[in-house]
Amino acid sequence: MQEKNTKERVIQIKDVYKSFGDLHILKGVNLELFSGENVVVLGRSGTGKSVLIKIISGLLMPDRGIVNVLGRSVPDLNRKQLSELRLDIGFSFQNSALYDSMTVRENLEFPLIRNIKNLSRQEINNSVEKVLESVGLIQTIHQMPSELSGGQRKRIGIARTLIMNPKIMLYDEPTAGLDPITCNEINQLMNDVKDEYNTSSIIITHDLTCAKDTGDRVAMLLDGKFTEAMTFEQLFATQEERIQEFYEYNFIQ
Amino acid sequence: MQQNERPYVISKRIDGLFIGLKNGFDFFIRFFRELFSNPFEFKEIVRQCYRIGLQSLLLISMTGFITGMVFTKQSRPSLLDFGAESWLPSLVAIAIVRALAPLITSLISAGKVGSSIGAELGSMRVTEQIDAMEVSAVNPFSFLVVTRIIATTITIPILSFYCAFVALMGSFLDVSLNENTNLIAFFEDAFEQITFLDINSALVKAIFYGFTIGMVGAYQGYNATNGTQGVGKAANTAVVTSMFLIFLEEVFIVQITNWFR
């Protein structure tokens, strides 16, 4: 905790509320992310984990509360300012969200070409090859997303965000629906991304192995509010019944 | 949190209708706002024009040709009764250019292109591809919606005139099988009664129909919800709504054109 205070705060979520009609999802959520750390957000399905990172990236607006990302208040940004901020945020979607009609190369080029003008073909090719090598999938460069396995799609989804060199990574259920070996590879990749690209990440998951392997701090979303973010071991040493229940159902040894 | 709890004013269905109309109007206004904002996606517009044209070409060729031929066959006996068989090319041309070609083209395109736009954007919405574009700092409305609406607005009029030509060829085939005529003589007879106003009104109709198909398809797809079920609903609603609006526009444009005759 001492070390955390010396680092720059890149995300500050304070007293954030979000409802959909009568359904109150977030009820005064607080969370901070410091540079160079991975914070894992655990919670059961439907507790609002994905809603939280959509609020951080400006895809959803909070009903009230403070959402500061890299020193900018997200709800107060206009569209142009939000676009500028998003260049610093990488968002890896649960289902990868690769563009079906484009090849892997075109998927990766898309954000680059549209956001950085006057890049030469050589520079674009170099960037695409570099991120594909980072995720270990250079051989898929000409393939269509439909030809990729679930794990490969996740990796390409991450590569597509890395091509813009983001400062913050938001991972939505990065290991959902994958076999344990592929999960382990994705966990390793997220740690590599943190070291190689110097990113700070929020990782949304309900996979405790993922939380243990990737999280510097772990917080759990219960009844629309976070438990205090702490290390994996500290979190599951608490006597809170629902945390213990979550732990037991994940069969972790 | 009270601001999110909105009780129904009349009933869920009627409230939904008005909310839908308001959202549709907002979407319409947003299109014109984004139309003139940077970047102008010229390459994507050309790609969509090519795709839409190619998608409908064969179907429009076949339907247009058959319509021209059948219309000629059905009109002949009535004209024969009055000894006015020589008016057949003119009659067919007036019907095709003024009404049939734009209507056939747009109805086929509503089914083929409108549903395709609705399903494609709907599928992109429910699989979060549109959100992925947005978080990549790319404006999905400008890239996906504006380009498709412009493409249908450009392509449907071109296809309409192509359909008119093919339908007249179908008519010529039937005429030439029954009478001693040649292509040039047929087209001279056919265009004798066609005025500049007829061509203009056909063009205006086709532009409106094309815009409607693109707008309705894009609106339904872009706002699709509820997973794969929502994609099917978006495609279906795109077809039904655009067909209904096309008939409605037909009534208004014909009425307005008649004031100028």
Side-chain angles (χ1 to χ4, degrees):
Chain A
M1 300 294 262
Q2 189 63 42
E3 189 195 356
K4 157 182 120 176
N5 292 334
T6 62
K7 288 185 172 179
E8 183 196 357
R9 187 171 59 197
V10 290
I11 293 180
Q12 182 195 24
I13 309 285
K14 199 172 171 192
D15 218 16
V16 164
Y17 286 79
K18 180 71 187 173
S19 303
F20 296 97
D22 295 338
L23 200 61
H24 307 301
I25 302 288
L26 303 179
K27 304 170 190 171
V29 163
N30 295 294
L31 185 73
E32 288 180 323
L33 178 72
F34 293 88
S35 65
E37 73 166 347
N38 284 352
V39 168
V40 171
V41 173
L42 286 171
R44 294 180 63 180
S45 302
T47 49
K49 306 186 295 294
S50 299
V51 169
L52 179 75
I53 55 171
K54 285 186 176 174
I55 286 174
I56 292 170
S57 61
L59 283 174
L60 290 174
M61 285 297 144
D63 295 337
R64 65 170 198 257
I66 293 168
V67 183
N68 275 323
V69 177
L70 296 169
R72 281 166 281 184
S73 170
V74 175
D76 299 327
L77 298 178
N78 61 31
R79 210 176 72 191
K80 189 166 179 279
Q81 292 166 328
L82 193 56
S83 288
E84 284 166 7
L85 177 65
R86 281 171 172 163
L87 294 175
D88 289 328
I89 302 174
F91 196 126
S92 167
F93 286 84
Q94 184 173 353
N95 296 315
S96 310
L98 299 180
Y99 309 127
D100 291 334
S101 57
M102 300 182 194
T103 63
V104 167
R105 173 191 283 281
E106 288 164 342
N107 260 281
L108 299 181
E109 285 177 356
F110 187 76
L112 199 63
I113 292 171
R114 306 214 146 249
N115 288 307
I116 305 173
K117 302 292 171 207
N118 306 322
L119 279 177
S120 69
R121 180 35 64 187
Q122 188 59 45
E123 287 170 315
I124 294 168
N125 288 347
N126 289 345
S127 299
V128 169
E129 283 159 22
K130 185 184 165 217
V131 288
L132 274 178
E133 273 162 13
S134 295
V135 299
L137 285 176
I138 188 75
Q139 73 280 8
T140 62
I141 191 163
H142 300 300
Q143 284 180 257
M144 296 299 286
S146 58
E147 297 167 334
L148 304 174
S149 68
Q152 286 176 324
R153 289 173 68 93
K154 293 268 186 195
R155 283 166 176 268
I156 299 296
I158 293 170
R160 187 175 61 187
T161 65
L162 291 178
I163 204 157
M164 296 305 296
N165 284 313
K167 292 179 181 148
I168 296 168
M169 283 294 292
L170 305 172
Y171 297 96
D172 191 3
E173 305 277 9
T175 57
L178 301 177
D179 65 85
I181 297 170
T182 312
C183 284
N184 191 42
E185 288 170 2
I186 297 286
N187 294 343
Q188 187 56 51
L189 175 63
M190 286 190 285
N191 285 328
D192 292 346
V193 165
K194 179 185 154 190
D195 297 336
E196 198 178 328
Y197 289 85
N198 199 23
T199 57
S200 318
S201 311
I202 292 183
I203 301 164
I204 302 290
T205 187
H206 45 65
D207 173 3
L208 289 191
T209 313
C210 171
K212 192 167 189 286
D213 289 353
T214 59
D216 297 311
R217 289 188 299 140
V218 181
M220 194 156 182
L221 202 50
L222 295 169
D223 289 335
K225 287 186 175 184
F226 273 124
T227 60
E228 193 193 339
M230 51 187 85
T231 65
F232 182 86
E233 288 74 17
Q234 284 170 334
L235 180 71
F236 288 100
T238 58
Q239 294 307 307
E240 161 68 56
E241 194 183 329
R242 285 168 299 176
I243 296 176
Q244 287 305 320
E245 188 186 29
F246 196 86
Y247 184 82
E248 282 159 20
Y249 274 96
N250 267 270
F251 304 111
I252 196 163
Q253 298 300 311
Chain B
M1 233 93 58
Q2 288 300 314
Q3 72 271 27
N4 284 311
E5 292 166 12
R6 192 165 45 189
Y8 300 120
V9 179
I10 303 170
S11 74
K12 189 180 177 182
R13 185 169 275 194
I14 295 174
D15 278 19
L17 178 73
F18 281 106
I19 291 167
L21 284 173
K22 195 230 171 238
N23 290 344
F25 182 72
D26 288 347
F27 194 83
F28 178 81
I29 298 294
R30 188 174 174 193
F31 165 77
F32 286 102
R33 233 183 24 232
E34 302 269 357
L35 184 61
F36 302 106
S37 68
N38 283 327
F40 189 73
E41 306 280 356
F42 183 73
K43 262 188 189 170
E44 184 61 14
I45 290 171
V46 173
R47 201 176 76 85
Q48 290 299 331
C49 284
Y50 179 73
R51 223 183 94 186
I52 291 165
L54 209 63
Q55 235 174 23
S56 321
L57 201 62
L58 184 66
L59 206 56
I60 284 171
S61 303
M62 283 163 55
T63 321
F65 193 83
I66 292 167
T67 305
M69 204 172 184
V70 170
F71 190 77
T72 310
K73 275 185 191 302
Q74 289 195 331
S75 304
R76 178 174 287 108
S78 308
L79 289 177
L80 265 176
D81 288 346
F82 294 101
E85 201 183 355
S86 60
W87 288 3
L88 198 55
S90 301
L91 175 77
V92 173
I94 287 171
I96 287 172
V97 172
R98 279 190 192 172
L100 289 177
L103 211 54
I104 290 169
T105 308
S106 56
L107 291 179
I108 287 173
S109 301
K112 191 104 176 123
V113 178
S115 64
S116 150
I117 292 175
E120 187 187 14
L121 295 192
S123 148
M124 290 185 78
R125 169 62 74 194
V126 301
T127 55
E128 296 182 310
Q129 291 176 50
I130 292 178
D131 285 345
M133 259 183 210
E134 203 149 352
V135 294
S136 303
V138 176
N139 181 349
F141 196 93
S142 170
F143 185 75
L144 298 172
V145 174
V146 173
T147 53
R148 278 161 178 77
I149 296 174
I150 293 177
T152 52
T153 311
I154 292 171
T155 316
I156 304 296
I158 296 170
L159 287 172
S160 281
F161 284 110
Y162 169 74
C163 179
F165 172 74
V166 174
L168 285 173
M169 290 305 287
S171 174
F172 167 70
L173 181 69
D174 187 72
V175 170
S176 64
L177 289 175
N178 289 284
E179 292 158 35
N180 188 18
T181 185
N182 63 45
L183 189 66
I184 294 170
F186 173 82
F187 271 91
E188 275 176 356
D189 283 349
F191 281 96
E192 205 176 6
Q193 298 297 321
I194 298 294
T195 62
F196 192 60
L197 183 64
D198 292 327
I199 308 239
N200 268 347
S201 75
L203 178 67
V204 169
K205 272 186 201 178
I207 290 172
F208 270 92
Y209 299 161
F211 179 79
T212 304
I213 291 166
M215 178 64 74
V216 173
Y219 173 75
Q220 293 298 336
Y222 199 77
N223 295 298
T225 50
N226 296 335
T228 46
Q229 198 185 6
V231 177
K233 193 181 166 200
N236 185 273
T237 315
V239 176
V240 175
T241 311
S242 48
M243 281 186 177
F244 173 72
L245 290 175
I246 284 166
F247 281 116
L248 212 61
E249 286 166 7
E250 172 81 11
V251 172
F252 282 109
I253 296 172
V254 167
Q255 185 59 49
I256 291 166
T257 311
N258 283 344
W259 289 338
F260 291 97
R261 279 193 205 286

XYZ file of all heavy atoms in Angstrom, chain A residues 17 19 21-22 24 26 54 57 59 63-64 79 83 86-87 89 91 93-95 97-102 110-111 114-115 117 160 172, chain B residues 1-6 30 33-34 37-39 41 44 47 120 123-124 126-139 143:
557
model
N -22.794 5.718 -9.328
C -24.085 5.016 -9.358
C -24.490 4.786 -10.812
O -24.266 5.648 -11.667
C -25.171 5.861 -8.691
C -25.059 5.910 -7.182
C -24.141 6.751 -6.562
C -25.875 5.115 -6.393
C -24.035 6.804 -5.181
C -25.777 5.162 -5.007
C -24.860 6.003 -4.403
O -24.756 6.047 -3.029
N -27.928 2.888 -12.896
C -29.140 2.055 -12.907
C -29.634 1.911 -14.332
O -29.396 2.771 -15.182
C -30.238 2.719 -12.086
O -29.799 2.941 -10.782
N -33.287 1.518 -15.659
C -34.675 1.464 -15.223
C -34.723 1.264 -13.720
O -34.115 2.022 -12.970
N -35.431 0.219 -13.309
C -35.553 -0.044 -11.876
C -34.390 -0.856 -11.321
O -34.328 -1.131 -10.129
C -36.857 -0.824 -11.596
C -38.070 0.022 -11.927
O -37.917 1.254 -11.952
O -39.148 -0.552 -12.172
N -30.930 -1.290 -10.118
C -29.804 -0.486 -9.623
C -28.553 -1.356 -9.611
O -28.441 -2.264 -8.782
C -30.117 0.057 -8.232
C -31.419 0.794 -8.186
N -31.668 1.898 -8.979
C -32.557 0.558 -7.499
C -32.896 2.327 -8.751
N -33.458 1.522 -7.875
N -24.873 -0.307 -9.988
C -23.764 0.208 -9.173
C -24.314 1.180 -8.138
O -25.062 2.103 -8.482
C -22.724 0.897 -10.068
C -22.112 0.049 -11.188
C -21.113 0.865 -12.009
C -21.427 -1.204 -10.641
N -17.287 -0.131 -18.966
C -17.926 0.646 -20.036
C -18.082 2.105 -19.611
O -18.001 3.011 -20.434
C -19.280 0.036 -20.411
C -19.097 -1.236 -21.246
C -20.378 -1.811 -21.766
C -20.047 -3.019 -22.649
N -21.230 -3.737 -23.098
N -14.649 3.713 -20.035
C -14.283 4.018 -21.432
C -15.269 4.972 -22.098
O -15.127 5.300 -23.272
C -14.205 2.720 -22.233
O -15.456 2.080 -22.228
N -18.408 4.410 -22.809
C -19.481 3.771 -23.587
C -20.821 3.935 -22.871
O -21.868 3.948 -23.496
C -19.199 2.275 -23.788
C -18.155 1.909 -24.843
C -17.870 0.415 -24.823
C -18.597 2.343 -26.224
N -24.916 7.537 -13.626
C -26.017 8.409 -13.202
C -25.464 9.545 -12.339
O -25.885 10.683 -12.433
C -27.056 7.610 -12.397
C -27.726 6.558 -13.261
O -27.729 6.727 -14.496
O -28.232 5.565 -12.707
N -24.509 9.197 -11.509
C -23.784 10.236 -10.760
C -22.472 9.653 -10.239
O -22.272 8.433 -10.252
C -24.633 10.816 -9.632
C -25.001 9.888 -8.506
C -25.617 10.745 -7.389
N -25.629 10.052 -6.127
C -26.710 9.498 -5.614
N -27.851 9.538 -6.267
N -26.665 8.906 -4.421
N -17.379 14.798 -27.483
C -17.045 13.626 -28.285
C -15.589 13.626 -28.747
O -14.920 12.599 -28.752
C -17.988 13.540 -29.499
C -18.216 12.106 -29.920
C -19.199 12.019 -31.039
N -18.603 12.514 -32.272
C -19.291 12.760 -33.371
N -20.574 12.585 -33.392
N -18.682 13.191 -34.470
N -12.760 10.918 -27.718
C -11.988 10.163 -28.717
C -10.495 10.250 -28.427
O -9.772 9.259 -28.537
C -12.249 10.710 -30.126
O -13.527 10.340 -30.520
N -9.701 8.049 -25.555
C -9.801 6.625 -25.897
C -8.556 6.102 -26.613
O -8.324 4.890 -26.637
C -11.034 6.392 -26.771
C -12.314 6.355 -25.959
C -13.524 6.351 -26.839
N -14.741 6.134 -26.078
C -15.949 6.393 -26.528
N -16.112 6.890 -27.743
N -17.004 6.163 -25.783
N -7.786 7.012 -27.187
C -6.531 6.568 -27.813
C -5.579 5.995 -26.760
O -4.702 5.195 -27.080
C -5.866 7.729 -28.555
C -6.626 8.257 -29.771
C -5.941 9.486 -30.343
C -6.752 7.182 -30.844
N -6.699 4.302 -24.129
C -7.367 3.178 -23.446
C -7.530 2.009 -24.416
O -8.036 2.176 -25.523
C -8.773 3.599 -22.939
C -8.680 4.793 -21.995
C -9.463 2.420 -22.246
C -10.030 5.349 -21.562
N -9.423 -1.583 -24.931
C -10.565 -2.311 -24.388
C -10.625 -3.675 -25.056
O -10.839 -3.772 -26.256
C -11.845 -1.506 -24.669
C -13.040 -1.932 -23.845
C -13.738 -0.995 -23.085
C -13.478 -3.252 -23.825
C -14.842 -1.362 -22.321
C -14.575 -3.621 -23.065
C -15.257 -2.687 -22.324
N -12.704 -6.890 -25.442
C -14.086 -7.310 -25.189
C -14.178 -8.802 -24.862
O -13.334 -9.600 -25.293
C -14.965 -6.999 -26.411
C -15.257 -5.545 -26.552
C -14.345 -4.699 -27.178
C -16.426 -4.998 -26.052
C -14.595 -3.347 -27.298
C -16.681 -3.644 -26.166
C -15.765 -2.813 -26.796
N -15.249 -9.142 -24.158
C -15.464 -10.534 -23.747
C -15.490 -11.478 -24.956
O -14.912 -12.546 -24.931
C -16.778 -10.630 -22.972
C -17.035 -12.017 -22.426
C -18.253 -12.054 -21.515
O -18.834 -11.026 -21.183
N -18.634 -13.239 -21.102
N -16.189 -11.045 -26.012
C -16.266 -11.899 -27.207
C -15.302 -11.431 -28.292
O -15.538 -11.663 -29.476
C -17.687 -11.921 -27.739
C -18.626 -12.554 -26.749
O -18.327 -13.596 -26.172
N -19.750 -11.899 -26.490
N -14.921 -9.147 -30.171
C -15.481 -8.092 -31.029
C -14.601 -7.789 -32.235
O -14.429 -6.627 -32.612
C -15.753 -6.827 -30.205
N -14.040 -8.827 -32.845
C -13.266 -8.609 -34.072
C -14.234 -8.299 -35.207
O -15.348 -8.823 -35.224
C -12.443 -9.861 -34.417
C -11.411 -10.302 -33.384
C -10.685 -11.548 -33.859
C -10.413 -9.194 -33.103
N -13.796 -7.472 -36.156
C -14.671 -7.121 -37.272
C -14.725 -8.306 -38.238
O -13.735 -8.641 -38.890
C -14.175 -5.858 -37.975
C -13.923 -4.721 -37.008
C -12.708 -4.044 -36.979
C -14.905 -4.340 -36.094
C -12.469 -3.024 -36.071
C -14.673 -3.321 -35.191
C -13.458 -2.671 -35.186
O -13.234 -1.656 -34.279
N -15.914 -8.915 -38.309
C -16.091 -10.153 -39.079
C -15.713 -10.041 -40.545
O -15.278 -11.004 -41.156
C -17.581 -10.573 -39.040
C -17.979 -11.014 -37.658
O -17.094 -11.462 -36.923
O -19.174 -10.899 -37.324
N -15.962 -8.858 -41.107
C -15.764 -8.711 -42.557
C -14.323 -8.379 -42.923
O -14.006 -8.188 -44.086
C -16.695 -7.625 -43.087
O -16.440 -6.430 -42.390
N -13.449 -8.286 -41.920
C -12.053 -7.913 -42.193
C -11.112 -9.050 -41.811
O -11.411 -9.810 -40.881
C -11.654 -6.671 -41.378
C -12.471 -5.450 -41.655
S -11.837 -4.085 -40.650
C -13.165 -2.907 -40.795
N -7.075 -1.168 -38.802
C -8.237 -0.267 -38.768
C -8.084 0.913 -37.801
O -8.183 2.070 -38.211
C -9.500 -1.091 -38.472
C -10.769 -0.321 -38.585
C -11.304 -0.009 -39.833
C -11.444 0.118 -37.459
C -12.487 0.713 -39.948
C -12.623 0.834 -37.560
C -13.141 1.127 -38.799
N -7.828 0.657 -36.495
C -7.702 1.819 -35.596
C -6.477 2.680 -35.906
O -6.511 3.893 -35.720
C -7.573 1.191 -34.201
C -7.228 -0.229 -34.410
C -7.673 -0.616 -35.779
N -7.111 4.942 -39.071
C -8.150 5.947 -38.866
C -7.719 7.015 -37.863
O -8.265 8.112 -37.884
C -9.436 5.314 -38.355
C -9.808 4.284 -39.248
C -11.222 4.028 -39.490
N -11.300 3.629 -40.866
C -11.846 4.322 -41.821
N -12.383 5.483 -41.573
N -11.863 3.880 -43.038
N -6.780 6.665 -36.988
C -6.420 7.633 -35.951
C -5.088 8.334 -36.175
O -4.859 9.396 -35.627
C -6.396 6.943 -34.577
C -7.783 6.605 -34.092
O -8.645 7.469 -34.047
N -8.021 5.364 -33.758
N -2.755 9.834 -39.067
C -2.697 10.167 -40.495
C -1.246 10.089 -40.992
O -0.301 10.141 -40.223
C -3.239 11.586 -40.736
C -4.675 11.775 -40.255
C -5.663 10.974 -41.082
C -7.057 10.993 -40.476
N -7.858 9.823 -40.804
N -5.220 -5.881 -31.206
C -5.841 -4.719 -31.854
C -5.823 -3.497 -30.933
O -5.716 -2.356 -31.402
C -7.279 -5.052 -32.249
C -7.939 -3.970 -33.082
C -9.310 -4.360 -33.553
N -10.207 -4.619 -32.426
C -11.434 -5.113 -32.557
N -11.893 -5.415 -33.753
N -12.198 -5.317 -31.508
N -12.319 -7.344 -20.406
C -13.626 -7.836 -19.979
C -13.657 -9.355 -20.136
O -13.662 -9.867 -21.250
C -14.730 -7.187 -20.843
C -16.117 -7.446 -20.273
O -16.232 -8.070 -19.203
O -17.100 -7.014 -20.913
N -31.641 8.273 -7.856
C -31.935 7.201 -8.797
C -33.349 7.299 -9.340
O -33.733 6.620 -10.257
C -31.750 5.861 -8.117
C -30.834 4.971 -8.913
S -29.157 5.080 -8.409
C -29.270 4.645 -6.708
N -34.126 8.192 -8.731
C -35.524 8.304 -9.124
C -35.680 8.706 -10.584
O -36.654 8.348 -11.221
C -36.241 9.348 -8.236
C -36.480 8.875 -6.830
C -37.334 7.625 -6.764
O -38.345 7.523 -7.421
N -36.916 6.642 -5.983
N -34.692 9.419 -11.142
C -34.835 9.903 -12.512
C -34.931 8.785 -13.535
O -35.414 8.985 -14.639
C -33.692 10.864 -12.895
C -32.329 10.222 -13.094
C -31.539 10.161 -11.815
O -32.090 10.119 -10.742
N -30.227 10.141 -11.912
N -34.476 7.562 -13.174
C -34.521 6.459 -14.114
C -35.852 5.719 -14.110
O -36.141 4.959 -15.004
C -33.399 5.462 -13.805
C -32.087 6.017 -14.290
O -31.987 6.460 -15.421
N -31.118 6.024 -13.410
N -36.647 5.942 -13.070
C -37.911 5.231 -12.979
C -38.966 6.044 -13.714
O -39.454 7.057 -13.241
C -38.280 5.040 -11.515
C -37.328 4.075 -10.826
C -37.447 4.110 -9.326
O -38.408 4.707 -8.819
O -36.557 3.544 -8.678
N -39.293 5.610 -14.962
C -40.202 6.390 -15.790
C -41.507 5.620 -15.958
O -41.556 4.652 -16.699
C -39.542 6.659 -17.140
C -40.266 7.690 -17.947
C -39.427 8.186 -19.068
N -38.749 7.116 -19.784
C -37.828 7.302 -20.683
N -37.444 8.502 -20.981
N -37.271 6.300 -21.321
N -29.130 13.178 -36.840
C -27.708 12.848 -36.631
C -27.032 12.531 -37.960
O -25.872 12.866 -38.171
C -27.587 11.662 -35.656
C -26.161 11.413 -35.256
C -26.027 10.350 -34.204
N -24.616 10.067 -33.989
C -24.156 9.027 -33.324
N -24.983 8.177 -32.769
N -22.860 8.828 -33.177
N -26.084 15.712 -39.542
C -24.990 16.341 -38.795
C -23.659 15.662 -39.113
O -22.651 16.313 -39.375
C -25.291 16.254 -37.304
C -25.202 17.599 -36.630
C -25.410 17.582 -35.144
N -25.123 16.331 -34.489
C -25.970 15.717 -33.678
N -27.154 16.222 -33.463
N -25.635 14.597 -33.080
N -23.684 14.329 -39.140
C -22.433 13.570 -39.358
C -22.012 13.600 -40.832
O -20.848 13.401 -41.135
C -22.624 12.113 -38.933
C -23.036 11.923 -37.495
C -21.869 11.751 -36.545
O -20.720 11.726 -37.027
O -22.116 11.660 -35.331
N -19.435 16.102 -41.284
C -18.300 16.130 -40.349
C -17.164 15.267 -40.892
O -17.394 14.359 -41.684
C -18.738 15.609 -38.972
O -19.017 14.234 -39.060
N -15.991 15.541 -40.463
C -14.819 14.771 -40.904
C -14.731 13.461 -40.139
O -15.175 13.387 -39.010
C -13.546 15.588 -40.667
C -13.387 16.645 -41.718
O -13.772 16.464 -42.863
N -12.839 17.768 -41.309
N -14.143 12.396 -40.634
C -13.656 12.311 -42.002
C -14.772 11.857 -42.940
O -15.673 11.136 -42.525
C -12.587 11.221 -41.876
C -13.071 10.339 -40.775
C -13.834 11.200 -39.827
N -15.973 9.448 -45.532
C -15.495 8.078 -45.820
C -15.727 7.738 -47.295
O -16.539 6.863 -47.615
C -16.213 7.077 -44.916
C -16.138 7.378 -43.435
C -14.817 6.953 -42.832
O -13.997 6.366 -43.559
O -14.596 7.216 -41.644
N -15.163 3.983 -48.406
C -16.180 3.070 -47.878
C -17.502 3.256 -48.630
O -18.211 2.277 -48.876
C -16.353 3.325 -46.368
C -17.310 2.405 -45.641
C -16.942 0.919 -45.668
O -15.807 0.574 -46.018
O -17.836 0.115 -45.334
N -17.166 1.429 -51.845
C -17.226 -0.016 -51.573
C -18.671 -0.460 -51.344
O -19.110 -1.489 -51.865
C -16.381 -0.339 -50.334
C -15.942 -1.790 -50.230
C -15.037 -1.979 -49.018
N -15.792 -1.981 -47.779
C -16.383 -3.062 -47.264
N -16.281 -4.218 -47.873
N -17.054 -2.971 -46.140
N -26.611 -6.846 -40.859
C -25.162 -6.650 -40.691
C -24.863 -5.720 -39.504
O -24.053 -6.051 -38.624
C -24.567 -6.070 -41.972
C -23.059 -5.998 -41.935
C -22.472 -5.281 -43.136
O -23.220 -4.605 -43.871
O -21.252 -5.389 -43.320
N -25.977 -7.335 -36.218
C -25.012 -8.328 -35.754
C -23.759 -7.648 -35.184
O -23.208 -8.082 -34.164
C -24.686 -9.254 -36.932
O -23.416 -9.715 -36.873
N -23.347 -6.559 -35.822
C -22.189 -5.812 -35.288
C -22.510 -5.204 -33.928
O -21.646 -5.115 -33.056
C -21.757 -4.715 -36.263
C -21.119 -5.252 -37.524
S -20.483 -3.952 -38.578
C -18.953 -3.535 -37.745
N -24.793 -6.379 -31.632
C -24.928 -7.351 -30.532
C -23.617 -8.083 -30.237
O -23.455 -8.629 -29.159
C -26.078 -8.369 -30.771
C -27.406 -7.661 -30.929
C -25.816 -9.264 -31.962
N -22.694 -8.101 -31.192
C -21.395 -8.725 -30.904
C -20.359 -7.670 -30.476
O -19.167 -7.936 -30.474
C -20.855 -9.501 -32.120
O -20.803 -8.617 -33.234
C -21.732 -10.695 -32.461
N -20.824 -6.503 -30.164
C -20.010 -5.398 -29.618
C -18.978 -4.851 -30.599
O -18.053 -4.156 -30.196
C -19.318 -5.830 -28.308
C -20.305 -6.154 -27.181
C -19.617 -6.539 -25.893
O -18.739 -7.413 -25.949
O -19.946 -5.968 -24.843
N -19.124 -5.162 -31.890
C -18.165 -4.628 -32.863
C -18.306 -3.099 -32.999
O -17.322 -2.410 -33.252
C -18.367 -5.284 -34.227
C -17.956 -6.753 -34.246
C -18.258 -7.415 -35.580
O -17.913 -6.917 -36.634
N -18.919 -8.557 -35.534
N -19.543 -2.618 -32.833
C -19.748 -1.159 -32.918
C -19.117 -0.483 -31.695
O -18.455 0.554 -31.816
C -21.253 -0.835 -33.059
C -21.741 -1.336 -34.430
C -21.516 0.659 -32.896
C -23.212 -1.130 -34.701
N -19.288 -1.113 -30.527
C -18.635 -0.582 -29.318
C -17.117 -0.607 -29.484
O -16.420 0.315 -29.057
C -19.012 -1.425 -28.090
C -20.439 -1.148 -27.633
O -21.009 -0.137 -28.057
O -20.983 -1.963 -26.862
N -16.621 -1.681 -30.118
C -15.168 -1.791 -30.320
C -14.653 -0.652 -31.202
O -13.568 -0.111 -30.960
C -14.820 -3.141 -30.951
N -15.439 -0.289 -32.205
C -15.046 0.844 -33.048
C -15.015 2.124 -32.225
O -14.093 2.933 -32.322
C -16.071 1.009 -34.173
C -15.614 0.450 -35.481
S -16.791 0.748 -36.767
C -16.424 -0.709 -37.731
N -16.048 2.278 -31.406
C -16.159 3.499 -30.615
C -14.987 3.644 -29.648
O -14.415 4.725 -29.540
C -17.489 3.466 -29.845
C -17.945 4.836 -29.465
C -19.457 4.977 -29.419
O -20.174 4.048 -29.831
O -19.885 6.031 -28.962
N -14.624 2.551 -28.970
C -13.501 2.667 -28.025
C -12.147 2.743 -28.734
O -11.145 3.059 -28.113
C -13.468 1.533 -26.963
C -14.641 1.611 -26.035
C -13.374 0.166 -27.600
N -12.144 2.442 -30.054
C -10.907 2.634 -30.821
C -10.823 4.068 -31.354
O -10.039 4.358 -32.262
C -10.861 1.698 -32.023
O -10.987 0.369 -31.634
N -11.686 4.943 -30.836
C -11.725 6.347 -31.249
C -12.118 6.511 -32.713
O -11.753 7.475 -33.376
C -10.390 7.043 -30.957
N -12.856 5.538 -33.246
C -13.387 5.652 -34.612
C -14.882 5.926 -34.463
O -15.542 5.308 -33.626
C -13.184 4.329 -35.394
C -13.819 4.407 -36.767
C -11.695 4.007 -35.498
N -15.408 6.842 -35.287
C -16.828 7.172 -35.196
C -17.631 6.130 -35.980
O -17.647 6.155 -37.212
C -17.035 8.577 -35.776
C -18.479 9.022 -35.706
O -19.365 8.220 -35.408
N -18.707 10.289 -35.985
N -18.772 5.905 -40.080
C -18.182 4.833 -40.904
C -19.226 3.823 -41.369
O -19.174 3.345 -42.511
C -17.090 4.113 -40.107
C -16.364 3.077 -40.913
C -15.433 3.440 -41.881
C -16.617 1.729 -40.731
C -14.778 2.489 -42.637
C -15.958 0.762 -41.476
C -15.039 1.148 -42.433
